[in-house]
Amino acid sequence: MLRTVFLFGACLLCFERRKSKLGSVHNQHFKPRLAMFAVGIFLMTFGIALSCKADLGTSPISSVPWVMSMFLPFSLGDITIMMNIVMILAQPLILRALYVRELVGQLLTTLAFGCSIDFSMGLLDWFIPGSALEQWLACLLSIVVLALGVFLEVRAKIFLVAGEGVVSVLAFVTQKKFSLIKNCFDISLVTLAIIISWVEFGTLQGVGAGTVVAAVLVGRFVHLYESRLSFFDRWKVEA
């Protein structure tokens, strides 16, 4: 937990330096947006941890780290950090340009994200669903929580998580819609997780019906929050 707090503090310092060099648009409602960002990251990681405990398949973005954590001597958070660092390093190669502040921001967010996942897994260490009904209730609750976290993280407009960052770069380079690239990206991750699972275990582990449900419903719930939670519009960044 202390590591997570420290990393969020590093994010704050980095953004403070960044905002001092940018226009007033980026300075709007900084403190409430930072709070939204921090809460959003935690809710995202808690939703991921809850989906892992449900054992019906986690969200597409966490499917590869979750499967790999089952046979490697690293935690889910550690593998998430490693995978996201690869995504961060890939962005300037794809874009053929180096944007240091954004990449450093993504790196700090990735470190905090990974530490928060392990913290959330620790919080839910006691939770073991005893029936299929409890598994599905936990899975659906994880989707609701994860989507709220995504909504807050995106609405804060501070830093992107690495997965969204690489999708944004691919969408820009290919001149395709973000939603299309996001869908292709998620499908690729799930496919990779399935391949790793079959190679390592000879059966399907860590990917299941819950993964499909999360892929379909998380975006729907994010859209629902965008249309219903007008309370957060008071801190919207105006161009």
Side-chain angles (χ1 to χ4, degrees):
M1 180 60 178
L2 291 176
R3 287 191 304 166
T4 304
V5 173
F6 170 77
L7 289 168
F8 273 125
C11 286
L12 172 60
L13 291 175
C14 181
F15 188 73
E16 284 284 4
R17 292 188 63 187
R18 178 189 181 201
K19 74 171 188 171
S20 67
K21 299 178 181 180
L22 296 174
S24 59
V25 168
H26 298 274
N27 297 338
Q28 295 174 11
H29 314 298
F30 173 68
K31 290 182 179 179
R33 286 169 50 222
L34 180 65
M36 288 167 58
F37 177 75
V39 172
I41 291 294
F42 173 73
L43 289 178
M44 289 170 67
T45 59
F46 189 82
I48 290 169
L50 187 57
S51 70
C52 293
K53 299 295 289 186
D55 198 27
L56 292 172
T58 187
S59 61
I61 192 65
S62 297
S63 57
V64 173
W66 179 230
V67 172
M68 294 180 70
S69 70
M70 295 178 178
F71 63 89
L72 292 178
F74 300 102
S75 69
L76 174 59
D78 291 337
I79 298 175
T80 297
I81 289 173
M82 288 184 252
M83 189 179 82
N84 284 4
I85 287 176
V86 172
M87 293 181 188
I88 292 171
L89 295 176
Q91 292 175 48
L93 298 178
I94 297 171
L95 197 58
R96 296 183 181 179
L98 188 63
Y99 38 105
V100 176
R101 293 191 188 94
E102 287 75 10
L103 293 177
V104 170
Q106 285 186 39
L107 176 61
L108 292 172
T109 302
T110 289
L111 295 175
F113 193 82
C115 292
S116 187
I117 285 179
D118 286 343
F119 176 70
S120 296
M121 290 292 286
L123 285 179
L124 293 171
D125 190 55
W126 58 273
F127 178 60
I128 302 176
S131 65
L133 176 60
E134 290 182 2
Q135 284 182 290
W136 276 109
L137 288 175
C139 179
L140 294 175
L141 180 59
S142 74
I143 291 170
V144 172
V145 173
L146 175 60
L148 180 58
V150 171
F151 164 75
L152 292 175
E153 180 257 337
V154 172
R155 179 59 63 95
K157 289 189 176 180
I158 291 184
F159 294 125
L160 291 175
V161 294
E164 292 175 355
V166 73
V167 170
S168 296
V169 168
L170 288 170
F172 175 79
V173 171
T174 61
Q175 295 296 300
K176 303 293 183 181
K177 290 184 178 180
F178 180 91
S179 58
L180 174 62
I181 301 299
K182 176 64 173 173
N183 287 337
C184 294
F185 186 69
D186 286 348
I187 291 171
S188 299
L189 290 177
V190 173
T191 302
L192 179 58
I194 292 173
I195 292 172
I196 294 172
S197 177
W198 277 106
V199 170
E200 186 63 29
F201 303 109
T203 185
L204 198 59
Q205 297 283 344
V207 180
T211 304
V212 177
V213 173
V216 173
L217 291 185
V218 169
R220 301 289 179 87
F221 272 99
V222 171
H223 178 72
L224 179 65
Y225 292 140
E226 289 174 340
S227 61
R228 297 291 183 179
L229 298 183
S230 57
F231 171 82
F232 292 96
D233 289 343
R234 68 182 66 188
W235 299 307
K236 184 177 180 181
V237 176
E238 300 293 343

